[in-house]
Amino acid sequence: SYELTQPPSVSVSPGQTASITCSGDNLGDKYVCWYQQKPGQSPVLVIFQDSKRPSGIPERFSGSNSGNTATLTISGTQAMDEADYYCQAWDSSTAVFGGGTKLTVL
Amino acid sequence: EVQLVESGGGLVQPGRSLRLSCTASGFTFGDYAMSWVRQAPGRGLEWVGFIRSKAYGGTTEYAASVRGRFTISRDDSKSIAYLQMNSLKTEDTAVYYCTRVVIVVDPYFDYWGQGTLVTVSS
């Protein structure tokens, strides 16, 4: 079965750029989505189709996908961005989520 | 405003059944596929399955972990999606989220409900 691998944790200082990676075989051939989940809350879509932002998502969130790695980038990270982030892609009509990355804003 | 409200969770014994409901509002329910995603306590997200809109045949897809035990259905007249869970196992314990699915080249889950907790325990 297809797997997506994320680092368990990433730390960033306020105002700096955070990068969260998601790796999978030939991931660049698929579209990747990213979801943000804050403690006690439901997930929120922050990036779809590799790099598109839904309405209401700040411009500091961006995404890219090439080769075997997709990346979620948060520019000018704010304390409110502290959350778990999950990447997601499709493989043969099956949705696959990465294990999640806890972003800590120190 | 798009709203998805799950209901039907609770405590159930292993081997028993439970049906979850997802009541939708704020959009034309029949135009969208709907999906269920679960999250075990302290764990990550796990896709359960989805049901296409009637325009795409209303067919379903499931994760291997639930295929043959879980069934997703929909009632477009009531704007409700269902998750029928049979032969429940302790490992099915999770918060179950209902999501709206945007079907494009690769679908994505654009709205999520608040979730309903299912606990499978004797």
Side-chain angles (χ1 to χ4, degrees), chain A residues 31 33 35 37 41-43 45 48-49 86 88 90 93-95 97, chain B residues 39 43-45 47 50 61 97 104-110 112-114:
Chain A
Y31 275 126
C33 301
Y35 301 88
Q37 186 179 34
Q41 298 184 18
S42 301
L45 176 71
F48 66 98
Q49 292 181 359
Y86 296 90
Q88 179 259 313
W90 288 86
S93 297
T94 297
F97 286 96
Chain B
Q39 186 170 35
R43 305 294 296 274
L45 301 175
W47 176 73
F50 80 94
E61 305 287 348
Y97 295 102
V104 286
V105 177
D106 274 357
Y108 54 92
F109 312 120
D110 66 340
W112 297 60
Q114 85 288 350

PDB file of all heavy atoms in Angstrom, chain A residues 31 33 35 37 41-43 45 48-49 86 88 90 93-95 97, chain B residues 39 43-45 47 50 61 97 104-110 112-114:
ATOM      1  N   TYR A  31      -1.506  14.771  -6.934  1.00  0.00           N
ATOM      2  CA  TYR A  31      -1.817  16.032  -6.275  1.00  0.00           C
ATOM      3  C   TYR A  31      -1.799  15.809  -4.754  1.00  0.00           C
ATOM      4  O   TYR A  31      -2.301  14.800  -4.250  1.00  0.00           O
ATOM      5  CB  TYR A  31      -3.194  16.543  -6.684  1.00  0.00           C
ATOM      6  CG  TYR A  31      -3.203  17.332  -7.971  1.00  0.00           C
ATOM      7  CD1 TYR A  31      -4.052  16.984  -9.017  1.00  0.00           C
ATOM      8  CD2 TYR A  31      -2.373  18.433  -8.150  1.00  0.00           C
ATOM      9  CE1 TYR A  31      -4.076  17.709 -10.192  1.00  0.00           C
ATOM     10  CE2 TYR A  31      -2.383  19.162  -9.318  1.00  0.00           C
ATOM     11  CZ  TYR A  31      -3.238  18.802 -10.343  1.00  0.00           C
ATOM     12  OH  TYR A  31      -3.259  19.525 -11.505  1.00  0.00           O
ATOM     13  N   CYS A  33      -2.637  17.427  -0.854  1.00  0.00           N
ATOM     14  CA  CYS A  33      -3.364  18.393  -0.030  1.00  0.00           C
ATOM     15  C   CYS A  33      -2.701  18.452   1.340  1.00  0.00           C
ATOM     16  O   CYS A  33      -2.040  17.494   1.761  1.00  0.00           O
ATOM     17  CB  CYS A  33      -4.827  17.967   0.165  1.00  0.00           C
ATOM     18  SG  CYS A  33      -5.752  17.786  -1.332  1.00  0.00           S
ATOM     19  N   TYR A  35      -3.633  19.562   5.487  1.00  0.00           N
ATOM     20  CA  TYR A  35      -4.658  19.901   6.458  1.00  0.00           C
ATOM     21  C   TYR A  35      -3.986  20.325   7.758  1.00  0.00           C
ATOM     22  O   TYR A  35      -2.994  19.731   8.181  1.00  0.00           O
ATOM     23  CB  TYR A  35      -5.580  18.696   6.713  1.00  0.00           C
ATOM     24  CG  TYR A  35      -6.279  18.215   5.460  1.00  0.00           C
ATOM     25  CD1 TYR A  35      -5.684  17.276   4.637  1.00  0.00           C
ATOM     26  CD2 TYR A  35      -7.508  18.742   5.086  1.00  0.00           C
ATOM     27  CE1 TYR A  35      -6.299  16.853   3.465  1.00  0.00           C
ATOM     28  CE2 TYR A  35      -8.130  18.324   3.918  1.00  0.00           C
ATOM     29  CZ  TYR A  35      -7.509  17.386   3.116  1.00  0.00           C
ATOM     30  OH  TYR A  35      -8.116  16.979   1.946  1.00  0.00           O
ATOM     31  N   GLN A  37      -4.589  20.887  11.847  1.00  0.00           N
ATOM     32  CA  GLN A  37      -5.470  20.521  12.947  1.00  0.00           C
ATOM     33  C   GLN A  37      -4.911  21.051  14.251  1.00  0.00           C
ATOM     34  O   GLN A  37      -3.843  20.648  14.692  1.00  0.00           O
ATOM     35  CB  GLN A  37      -5.652  19.004  13.036  1.00  0.00           C
ATOM     36  CG  GLN A  37      -6.686  18.595  14.081  1.00  0.00           C
ATOM     37  CD  GLN A  37      -6.885  17.081  14.160  1.00  0.00           C
ATOM     38  OE1 GLN A  37      -5.938  16.319  13.963  1.00  0.00           O
ATOM     39  NE2 GLN A  37      -8.110  16.660  14.460  1.00  0.00           N
ATOM     40  N   GLN A  41      -9.724  20.462  17.791  1.00  0.00           N
ATOM     41  CA  GLN A  41     -10.505  20.973  16.674  1.00  0.00           C
ATOM     42  C   GLN A  41     -10.473  19.996  15.494  1.00  0.00           C
ATOM     43  O   GLN A  41      -9.660  19.085  15.436  1.00  0.00           O
ATOM     44  CB  GLN A  41      -9.984  22.338  16.219  1.00  0.00           C
ATOM     45  CG  GLN A  41     -10.086  23.415  17.288  1.00  0.00           C
ATOM     46  CD  GLN A  41      -9.659  24.781  16.780  1.00  0.00           C
ATOM     47  OE1 GLN A  41      -9.592  25.030  15.569  1.00  0.00           O
ATOM     48  NE2 GLN A  41      -9.361  25.676  17.711  1.00  0.00           N
ATOM     49  N   SER A  42     -11.383  20.219  14.561  1.00  0.00           N
ATOM     50  CA  SER A  42     -11.411  19.420  13.341  1.00  0.00           C
ATOM     51  C   SER A  42     -10.339  19.917  12.377  1.00  0.00           C
ATOM     52  O   SER A  42      -9.926  21.070  12.435  1.00  0.00           O
ATOM     53  CB  SER A  42     -12.781  19.536  12.671  1.00  0.00           C
ATOM     54  OG  SER A  42     -13.810  19.110  13.532  1.00  0.00           O
ATOM     55  N   PRO A  43      -9.895  19.050  11.488  1.00  0.00           N
ATOM     56  CA  PRO A  43      -8.913  19.495  10.482  1.00  0.00           C
ATOM     57  C   PRO A  43      -9.488  20.566   9.560  1.00  0.00           C
ATOM     58  O   PRO A  43     -10.704  20.633   9.335  1.00  0.00           O
ATOM     59  CB  PRO A  43      -8.615  18.210   9.699  1.00  0.00           C
ATOM     60  CG  PRO A  43      -8.940  17.101  10.648  1.00  0.00           C
ATOM     61  CD  PRO A  43     -10.120  17.602  11.429  1.00  0.00           C
ATOM     62  N   LEU A  45      -8.620  22.384   5.706  1.00  0.00           N
ATOM     63  CA  LEU A  45      -7.842  22.331   4.463  1.00  0.00           C
ATOM     64  C   LEU A  45      -7.076  23.640   4.307  1.00  0.00           C
ATOM     65  O   LEU A  45      -7.682  24.716   4.328  1.00  0.00           O
ATOM     66  CB  LEU A  45      -8.790  22.120   3.281  1.00  0.00           C
ATOM     67  CG  LEU A  45      -8.184  22.124   1.880  1.00  0.00           C
ATOM     68  CD1 LEU A  45      -7.344  20.864   1.656  1.00  0.00           C
ATOM     69  CD2 LEU A  45      -9.289  22.235   0.825  1.00  0.00           C
ATOM     70  N   PHE A  48      -4.619  22.693  -1.444  1.00  0.00           N
ATOM     71  CA  PHE A  48      -5.091  21.604  -2.284  1.00  0.00           C
ATOM     72  C   PHE A  48      -4.411  21.690  -3.649  1.00  0.00           C
ATOM     73  O   PHE A  48      -3.868  22.732  -4.019  1.00  0.00           O
ATOM     74  CB  PHE A  48      -6.620  21.604  -2.407  1.00  0.00           C
ATOM     75  CG  PHE A  48      -7.200  22.796  -3.126  1.00  0.00           C
ATOM     76  CD1 PHE A  48      -7.554  22.724  -4.461  1.00  0.00           C
ATOM     77  CD2 PHE A  48      -7.413  23.996  -2.452  1.00  0.00           C
ATOM     78  CE1 PHE A  48      -8.100  23.808  -5.127  1.00  0.00           C
ATOM     79  CE2 PHE A  48      -7.953  25.094  -3.106  1.00  0.00           C
ATOM     80  CZ  PHE A  48      -8.297  25.006  -4.443  1.00  0.00           C
ATOM     81  N   GLN A  49      -4.441  20.584  -4.358  1.00  0.00           N
ATOM     82  CA  GLN A  49      -3.781  20.504  -5.664  1.00  0.00           C
ATOM     83  C   GLN A  49      -2.376  21.085  -5.603  1.00  0.00           C
ATOM     84  O   GLN A  49      -2.010  21.949  -6.413  1.00  0.00           O
ATOM     85  CB  GLN A  49      -4.639  21.187  -6.733  1.00  0.00           C
ATOM     86  CG  GLN A  49      -5.930  20.426  -6.993  1.00  0.00           C
ATOM     87  CD  GLN A  49      -6.795  21.060  -8.077  1.00  0.00           C
ATOM     88  OE1 GLN A  49      -6.460  22.095  -8.657  1.00  0.00           O
ATOM     89  NE2 GLN A  49      -7.923  20.438  -8.353  1.00  0.00           N
ATOM     90  N   TYR A  86      -1.115  17.581   8.291  1.00  0.00           N
ATOM     91  CA  TYR A  86      -1.170  16.296   7.610  1.00  0.00           C
ATOM     92  C   TYR A  86      -1.173  16.500   6.099  1.00  0.00           C
ATOM     93  O   TYR A  86      -1.947  17.307   5.580  1.00  0.00           O
ATOM     94  CB  TYR A  86      -2.449  15.537   7.985  1.00  0.00           C
ATOM     95  CG  TYR A  86      -2.547  15.156   9.440  1.00  0.00           C
ATOM     96  CD1 TYR A  86      -3.131  16.000  10.362  1.00  0.00           C
ATOM     97  CD2 TYR A  86      -2.065  13.930   9.876  1.00  0.00           C
ATOM     98  CE1 TYR A  86      -3.221  15.655  11.701  1.00  0.00           C
ATOM     99  CE2 TYR A  86      -2.155  13.563  11.216  1.00  0.00           C
ATOM    100  CZ  TYR A  86      -2.729  14.442  12.119  1.00  0.00           C
ATOM    101  OH  TYR A  86      -2.824  14.085  13.447  1.00  0.00           O
ATOM    102  N   GLN A  88      -1.856  14.676   2.326  1.00  0.00           N
ATOM    103  CA  GLN A  88      -2.788  13.653   1.857  1.00  0.00           C
ATOM    104  C   GLN A  88      -2.723  13.567   0.338  1.00  0.00           C
ATOM    105  O   GLN A  88      -2.614  14.585  -0.342  1.00  0.00           O
ATOM    106  CB  GLN A  88      -4.206  13.974   2.312  1.00  0.00           C
ATOM    107  CG  GLN A  88      -5.281  12.988   1.860  1.00  0.00           C
ATOM    108  CD  GLN A  88      -6.081  13.501   0.677  1.00  0.00           C
ATOM    109  OE1 GLN A  88      -6.533  14.640   0.666  1.00  0.00           O
ATOM    110  NE2 GLN A  88      -6.263  12.675  -0.338  1.00  0.00           N
ATOM    111  N   TRP A  90      -3.894  10.649  -3.181  1.00  0.00           N
ATOM    112  CA  TRP A  90      -4.724   9.517  -3.586  1.00  0.00           C
ATOM    113  C   TRP A  90      -3.885   8.482  -4.323  1.00  0.00           C
ATOM    114  O   TRP A  90      -2.984   8.824  -5.099  1.00  0.00           O
ATOM    115  CB  TRP A  90      -5.856   9.989  -4.506  1.00  0.00           C
ATOM    116  CG  TRP A  90      -6.899  10.755  -3.775  1.00  0.00           C
ATOM    117  CD1 TRP A  90      -6.887  12.093  -3.503  1.00  0.00           C
ATOM    118  CD2 TRP A  90      -8.104  10.238  -3.214  1.00  0.00           C
ATOM    119  NE1 TRP A  90      -8.014  12.442  -2.799  1.00  0.00           N
ATOM    120  CE2 TRP A  90      -8.780  11.333  -2.611  1.00  0.00           C
ATOM    121  CE3 TRP A  90      -8.697   8.977  -3.148  1.00  0.00           C
ATOM    122  CZ2 TRP A  90     -10.010  11.184  -1.950  1.00  0.00           C
ATOM    123  CZ3 TRP A  90      -9.919   8.837  -2.509  1.00  0.00           C
ATOM    124  CH2 TRP A  90     -10.557   9.936  -1.916  1.00  0.00           C
ATOM    125  N   SER A  93      -7.875   5.229  -6.059  1.00  0.00           N
ATOM    126  CA  SER A  93      -9.167   5.487  -5.416  1.00  0.00           C
ATOM    127  C   SER A  93      -9.126   5.333  -3.905  1.00  0.00           C
ATOM    128  O   SER A  93     -10.166   5.147  -3.270  1.00  0.00           O
ATOM    129  CB  SER A  93     -10.252   4.561  -5.997  1.00  0.00           C
ATOM    130  OG  SER A  93     -10.456   4.817  -7.355  1.00  0.00           O
ATOM    131  N   THR A  94      -7.949   5.364  -3.326  1.00  0.00           N
ATOM    132  CA  THR A  94      -7.782   5.295  -1.871  1.00  0.00           C
ATOM    133  C   THR A  94      -7.073   6.553  -1.400  1.00  0.00           C
ATOM    134  O   THR A  94      -6.010   6.901  -1.923  1.00  0.00           O
ATOM    135  CB  THR A  94      -6.962   4.057  -1.473  1.00  0.00           C
ATOM    136  OG1 THR A  94      -7.663   2.878  -1.860  1.00  0.00           O
ATOM    137  CG2 THR A  94      -6.732   4.035   0.028  1.00  0.00           C
ATOM    138  N   ALA A  95      -7.659   7.221  -0.411  1.00  0.00           N
ATOM    139  CA  ALA A  95      -7.007   8.399   0.157  1.00  0.00           C
ATOM    140  C   ALA A  95      -5.991   7.956   1.196  1.00  0.00           C
ATOM    141  O   ALA A  95      -6.277   7.094   2.029  1.00  0.00           O
ATOM    142  CB  ALA A  95      -8.041   9.328   0.787  1.00  0.00           C
ATOM    143  N   PHE A  97      -3.198   9.421   4.090  1.00  0.00           N
ATOM    144  CA  PHE A  97      -2.703  10.538   4.891  1.00  0.00           C
ATOM    145  C   PHE A  97      -1.297  10.234   5.389  1.00  0.00           C
ATOM    146  O   PHE A  97      -0.971   9.079   5.703  1.00  0.00           O
ATOM    147  CB  PHE A  97      -3.602  10.773   6.120  1.00  0.00           C
ATOM    148  CG  PHE A  97      -4.919  11.414   5.811  1.00  0.00           C
ATOM    149  CD1 PHE A  97      -6.066  10.651   5.628  1.00  0.00           C
ATOM    150  CD2 PHE A  97      -5.028  12.800   5.736  1.00  0.00           C
ATOM    151  CE1 PHE A  97      -7.285  11.241   5.353  1.00  0.00           C
ATOM    152  CE2 PHE A  97      -6.240  13.400   5.467  1.00  0.00           C
ATOM    153  CZ  PHE A  97      -7.370  12.623   5.268  1.00  0.00           C
TER     154      PHE A  97
ATOM    155  N   GLN B  39     -10.050   9.315  13.452  1.00  0.00           N
ATOM    156  CA  GLN B  39      -8.820   9.626  14.166  1.00  0.00           C
ATOM    157  C   GLN B  39      -8.862   8.936  15.526  1.00  0.00           C
ATOM    158  O   GLN B  39      -9.647   9.338  16.396  1.00  0.00           O
ATOM    159  CB  GLN B  39      -8.642  11.137  14.328  1.00  0.00           C
ATOM    160  CG  GLN B  39      -7.332  11.557  14.931  1.00  0.00           C
ATOM    161  CD  GLN B  39      -7.128  13.063  14.849  1.00  0.00           C
ATOM    162  OE1 GLN B  39      -8.068  13.846  14.964  1.00  0.00           O
ATOM    163  NE2 GLN B  39      -5.885  13.483  14.629  1.00  0.00           N
ATOM    164  N   ARG B  43      -3.789   9.770  17.798  1.00  0.00           N
ATOM    165  CA  ARG B  43      -3.187   9.286  16.551  1.00  0.00           C
ATOM    166  C   ARG B  43      -3.507  10.218  15.391  1.00  0.00           C
ATOM    167  O   ARG B  43      -4.126  11.265  15.555  1.00  0.00           O
ATOM    168  CB  ARG B  43      -3.709   7.876  16.240  1.00  0.00           C
ATOM    169  CG  ARG B  43      -3.515   6.870  17.344  1.00  0.00           C
ATOM    170  CD  ARG B  43      -2.033   6.576  17.602  1.00  0.00           C
ATOM    171  NE  ARG B  43      -1.392   5.955  16.466  1.00  0.00           N
ATOM    172  CZ  ARG B  43      -1.392   4.657  16.235  1.00  0.00           C
ATOM    173  NH1 ARG B  43      -1.977   3.822  17.067  1.00  0.00           N
ATOM    174  NH2 ARG B  43      -0.768   4.172  15.159  1.00  0.00           N
ATOM    175  N   GLY B  44      -3.056   9.838  14.209  1.00  0.00           N
ATOM    176  CA  GLY B  44      -3.266  10.653  13.019  1.00  0.00           C
ATOM    177  C   GLY B  44      -4.584  10.359  12.319  1.00  0.00           C
ATOM    178  O   GLY B  44      -5.414   9.586  12.810  1.00  0.00           O
ATOM    179  N   LEU B  45      -4.761  10.997  11.180  1.00  0.00           N
ATOM    180  CA  LEU B  45      -5.987  10.840  10.408  1.00  0.00           C
ATOM    181  C   LEU B  45      -5.934   9.565   9.565  1.00  0.00           C
ATOM    182  O   LEU B  45      -4.894   9.222   9.006  1.00  0.00           O
ATOM    183  CB  LEU B  45      -6.178  12.050   9.488  1.00  0.00           C
ATOM    184  CG  LEU B  45      -6.255  13.409  10.172  1.00  0.00           C
ATOM    185  CD1 LEU B  45      -6.308  14.517   9.124  1.00  0.00           C
ATOM    186  CD2 LEU B  45      -7.464  13.488  11.093  1.00  0.00           C
ATOM    187  N   TRP B  47      -8.327   7.716   6.518  1.00  0.00           N
ATOM    188  CA  TRP B  47      -9.486   7.737   5.631  1.00  0.00           C
ATOM    189  C   TRP B  47     -10.267   6.437   5.776  1.00  0.00           C
ATOM    190  O   TRP B  47      -9.670   5.356   5.828  1.00  0.00           O
ATOM    191  CB  TRP B  47      -9.018   7.946   4.193  1.00  0.00           C
ATOM    192  CG  TRP B  47     -10.083   7.897   3.167  1.00  0.00           C
ATOM    193  CD1 TRP B  47     -11.040   8.842   2.932  1.00  0.00           C
ATOM    194  CD2 TRP B  47     -10.303   6.858   2.197  1.00  0.00           C
ATOM    195  NE1 TRP B  47     -11.830   8.451   1.874  1.00  0.00           N
ATOM    196  CE2 TRP B  47     -11.398   7.245   1.401  1.00  0.00           C
ATOM    197  CE3 TRP B  47      -9.680   5.643   1.925  1.00  0.00           C
ATOM    198  CZ2 TRP B  47     -11.884   6.474   0.361  1.00  0.00           C
ATOM    199  CZ3 TRP B  47     -10.158   4.872   0.883  1.00  0.00           C
ATOM    200  CH2 TRP B  47     -11.248   5.282   0.114  1.00  0.00           C
ATOM    201  N   PHE B  50     -15.578   6.809   0.951  1.00  0.00           N
ATOM    202  CA  PHE B  50     -16.425   7.884   0.457  1.00  0.00           C
ATOM    203  C   PHE B  50     -17.489   7.349  -0.485  1.00  0.00           C
ATOM    204  O   PHE B  50     -17.400   6.217  -0.972  1.00  0.00           O
ATOM    205  CB  PHE B  50     -15.584   8.994  -0.186  1.00  0.00           C
ATOM    206  CG  PHE B  50     -15.117   8.728  -1.596  1.00  0.00           C
ATOM    207  CD1 PHE B  50     -15.850   9.176  -2.685  1.00  0.00           C
ATOM    208  CD2 PHE B  50     -13.917   8.081  -1.822  1.00  0.00           C
ATOM    209  CE1 PHE B  50     -15.405   8.968  -3.977  1.00  0.00           C
ATOM    210  CE2 PHE B  50     -13.472   7.869  -3.119  1.00  0.00           C
ATOM    211  CZ  PHE B  50     -14.211   8.303  -4.192  1.00  0.00           C
ATOM    212  N   GLU B  61     -16.122   3.769  -2.182  1.00  0.00           N
ATOM    213  CA  GLU B  61     -14.763   3.243  -2.055  1.00  0.00           C
ATOM    214  C   GLU B  61     -14.449   3.178  -0.568  1.00  0.00           C
ATOM    215  O   GLU B  61     -14.895   4.032   0.202  1.00  0.00           O
ATOM    216  CB  GLU B  61     -13.729   4.142  -2.753  1.00  0.00           C
ATOM    217  CG  GLU B  61     -13.995   4.438  -4.207  1.00  0.00           C
ATOM    218  CD  GLU B  61     -13.748   3.260  -5.129  1.00  0.00           C
ATOM    219  OE1 GLU B  61     -13.146   2.258  -4.675  1.00  0.00           O
ATOM    220  OE2 GLU B  61     -14.143   3.346  -6.319  1.00  0.00           O
ATOM    221  N   TYR B  97     -15.021  11.746  11.540  1.00  0.00           N
ATOM    222  CA  TYR B  97     -15.352  13.012  10.896  1.00  0.00           C
ATOM    223  C   TYR B  97     -16.042  12.754   9.557  1.00  0.00           C
ATOM    224  O   TYR B  97     -15.615  11.881   8.787  1.00  0.00           O
ATOM    225  CB  TYR B  97     -14.093  13.828  10.617  1.00  0.00           C
ATOM    226  CG  TYR B  97     -13.333  14.289  11.831  1.00  0.00           C
ATOM    227  CD1 TYR B  97     -12.176  13.642  12.257  1.00  0.00           C
ATOM    228  CD2 TYR B  97     -13.746  15.418  12.555  1.00  0.00           C
ATOM    229  CE1 TYR B  97     -11.458  14.072  13.351  1.00  0.00           C
ATOM    230  CE2 TYR B  97     -13.040  15.851  13.663  1.00  0.00           C
ATOM    231  CZ  TYR B  97     -11.901  15.184  14.052  1.00  0.00           C
ATOM    232  OH  TYR B  97     -11.189  15.623  15.142  1.00  0.00           O
ATOM    233  N   VAL B 104     -12.232  16.625  -8.278  1.00  0.00           N
ATOM    234  CA  VAL B 104     -11.527  17.180  -9.430  1.00  0.00           C
ATOM    235  C   VAL B 104     -10.593  16.076  -9.914  1.00  0.00           C
ATOM    236  O   VAL B 104     -10.914  14.903  -9.801  1.00  0.00           O
ATOM    237  CB  VAL B 104     -10.779  18.478  -9.076  1.00  0.00           C
ATOM    238  CG1 VAL B 104     -11.780  19.617  -8.919  1.00  0.00           C
ATOM    239  CG2 VAL B 104      -9.993  18.328  -7.779  1.00  0.00           C
ATOM    240  N   VAL B 105      -9.434  16.438 -10.430  1.00  0.00           N
ATOM    241  CA  VAL B 105      -8.500  15.412 -10.899  1.00  0.00           C
ATOM    242  C   VAL B 105      -8.176  14.454  -9.753  1.00  0.00           C
ATOM    243  O   VAL B 105      -8.278  13.239  -9.872  1.00  0.00           O
ATOM    244  CB  VAL B 105      -7.217  16.050 -11.448  1.00  0.00           C
ATOM    245  CG1 VAL B 105      -6.230  14.970 -11.869  1.00  0.00           C
ATOM    246  CG2 VAL B 105      -7.546  16.967 -12.620  1.00  0.00           C
ATOM    247  N   ASP B 106      -7.792  15.035  -8.615  1.00  0.00           N
ATOM    248  CA  ASP B 106      -7.668  14.275  -7.369  1.00  0.00           C
ATOM    249  C   ASP B 106      -8.542  14.978  -6.339  1.00  0.00           C
ATOM    250  O   ASP B 106      -8.358  16.170  -6.099  1.00  0.00           O
ATOM    251  CB  ASP B 106      -6.215  14.225  -6.886  1.00  0.00           C
ATOM    252  CG  ASP B 106      -5.448  13.086  -7.531  1.00  0.00           C
ATOM    253  OD1 ASP B 106      -6.058  12.318  -8.285  1.00  0.00           O
ATOM    254  OD2 ASP B 106      -4.232  12.974  -7.268  1.00  0.00           O
ATOM    255  N   PRO B 107      -9.491  14.285  -5.736  1.00  0.00           N
ATOM    256  CA  PRO B 107     -10.425  14.934  -4.810  1.00  0.00           C
ATOM    257  C   PRO B 107      -9.749  15.493  -3.563  1.00  0.00           C
ATOM    258  O   PRO B 107      -8.651  15.071  -3.197  1.00  0.00           O
ATOM    259  CB  PRO B 107     -11.374  13.793  -4.438  1.00  0.00           C
ATOM    260  CG  PRO B 107     -11.220  12.775  -5.505  1.00  0.00           C
ATOM    261  CD  PRO B 107      -9.783  12.865  -5.933  1.00  0.00           C
ATOM    262  N   TYR B 108     -10.421  16.430  -2.928  1.00  0.00           N
ATOM    263  CA  TYR B 108      -9.937  16.921  -1.644  1.00  0.00           C
ATOM    264  C   TYR B 108     -11.118  17.175  -0.731  1.00  0.00           C
ATOM    265  O   TYR B 108     -12.266  17.318  -1.166  1.00  0.00           O
ATOM    266  CB  TYR B 108      -9.071  18.183  -1.796  1.00  0.00           C
ATOM    267  CG  TYR B 108      -9.704  19.327  -2.545  1.00  0.00           C
ATOM    268  CD1 TYR B 108     -10.415  20.321  -1.878  1.00  0.00           C
ATOM    269  CD2 TYR B 108      -9.550  19.439  -3.920  1.00  0.00           C
ATOM    270  CE1 TYR B 108     -10.970  21.379  -2.557  1.00  0.00           C
ATOM    271  CE2 TYR B 108     -10.102  20.501  -4.607  1.00  0.00           C
ATOM    272  CZ  TYR B 108     -10.805  21.475  -3.930  1.00  0.00           C
ATOM    273  OH  TYR B 108     -11.351  22.520  -4.617  1.00  0.00           O
ATOM    274  N   PHE B 109     -10.837  17.211   0.587  1.00  0.00           N
ATOM    275  CA  PHE B 109     -11.859  17.340   1.626  1.00  0.00           C
ATOM    276  C   PHE B 109     -11.907  18.794   2.070  1.00  0.00           C
ATOM    277  O   PHE B 109     -11.045  19.234   2.838  1.00  0.00           O
ATOM    278  CB  PHE B 109     -11.526  16.421   2.808  1.00  0.00           C
ATOM    279  CG  PHE B 109     -11.179  15.007   2.394  1.00  0.00           C
ATOM    280  CD1 PHE B 109      -9.952  14.455   2.692  1.00  0.00           C
ATOM    281  CD2 PHE B 109     -12.094  14.225   1.697  1.00  0.00           C
ATOM    282  CE1 PHE B 109      -9.627  13.156   2.304  1.00  0.00           C
ATOM    283  CE2 PHE B 109     -11.787  12.930   1.308  1.00  0.00           C
ATOM    284  CZ  PHE B 109     -10.553  12.397   1.616  1.00  0.00           C
ATOM    285  N   ASP B 110     -12.899  19.541   1.593  1.00  0.00           N
ATOM    286  CA  ASP B 110     -12.868  20.982   1.827  1.00  0.00           C
ATOM    287  C   ASP B 110     -13.606  21.435   3.075  1.00  0.00           C
ATOM    288  O   ASP B 110     -13.316  22.519   3.585  1.00  0.00           O
ATOM    289  CB  ASP B 110     -13.334  21.760   0.592  1.00  0.00           C
ATOM    290  CG  ASP B 110     -14.796  21.536   0.258  1.00  0.00           C
ATOM    291  OD1 ASP B 110     -15.381  20.534   0.710  1.00  0.00           O
ATOM    292  OD2 ASP B 110     -15.357  22.380  -0.482  1.00  0.00           O
ATOM    293  N   TRP B 112     -15.131  19.938   6.991  1.00  0.00           N
ATOM    294  CA  TRP B 112     -15.160  18.837   7.943  1.00  0.00           C
ATOM    295  C   TRP B 112     -16.186  19.143   9.034  1.00  0.00           C
ATOM    296  O   TRP B 112     -16.350  20.303   9.439  1.00  0.00           O
ATOM    297  CB  TRP B 112     -13.784  18.667   8.598  1.00  0.00           C
ATOM    298  CG  TRP B 112     -12.685  18.303   7.671  1.00  0.00           C
ATOM    299  CD1 TRP B 112     -12.232  19.018   6.583  1.00  0.00           C
ATOM    300  CD2 TRP B 112     -11.866  17.146   7.743  1.00  0.00           C
ATOM    301  NE1 TRP B 112     -11.180  18.363   5.979  1.00  0.00           N
ATOM    302  CE2 TRP B 112     -10.937  17.213   6.679  1.00  0.00           C
ATOM    303  CE3 TRP B 112     -11.810  16.052   8.609  1.00  0.00           C
ATOM    304  CZ2 TRP B 112      -9.974  16.220   6.456  1.00  0.00           C
ATOM    305  CZ3 TRP B 112     -10.856  15.067   8.394  1.00  0.00           C
ATOM    306  CH2 TRP B 112      -9.943  15.156   7.327  1.00  0.00           C
ATOM    307  N   GLY B 113     -16.825  18.087   9.521  1.00  0.00           N
ATOM    308  CA  GLY B 113     -17.692  18.244  10.675  1.00  0.00           C
ATOM    309  C   GLY B 113     -16.884  18.291  11.958  1.00  0.00           C
ATOM    310  O   GLY B 113     -15.643  18.238  11.932  1.00  0.00           O
ATOM    311  N   GLN B 114     -17.579  18.369  13.084  1.00  0.00           N
ATOM    312  CA  GLN B 114     -16.906  18.465  14.377  1.00  0.00           C
ATOM    313  C   GLN B 114     -16.497  17.098  14.913  1.00  0.00           C
ATOM    314  O   GLN B 114     -15.707  17.018  15.857  1.00  0.00           O
ATOM    315  CB  GLN B 114     -17.811  19.176  15.399  1.00  0.00           C
ATOM    316  CG  GLN B 114     -18.811  18.285  16.129  1.00  0.00           C
ATOM    317  CD  GLN B 114     -19.969  17.812  15.255  1.00  0.00           C
ATOM    318  OE1 GLN B 114     -20.152  18.291  14.136  1.00  0.00           O
ATOM    319  NE2 GLN B 114     -20.752  16.887  15.775  1.00  0.00           N
TER     320      GLN B 114
END
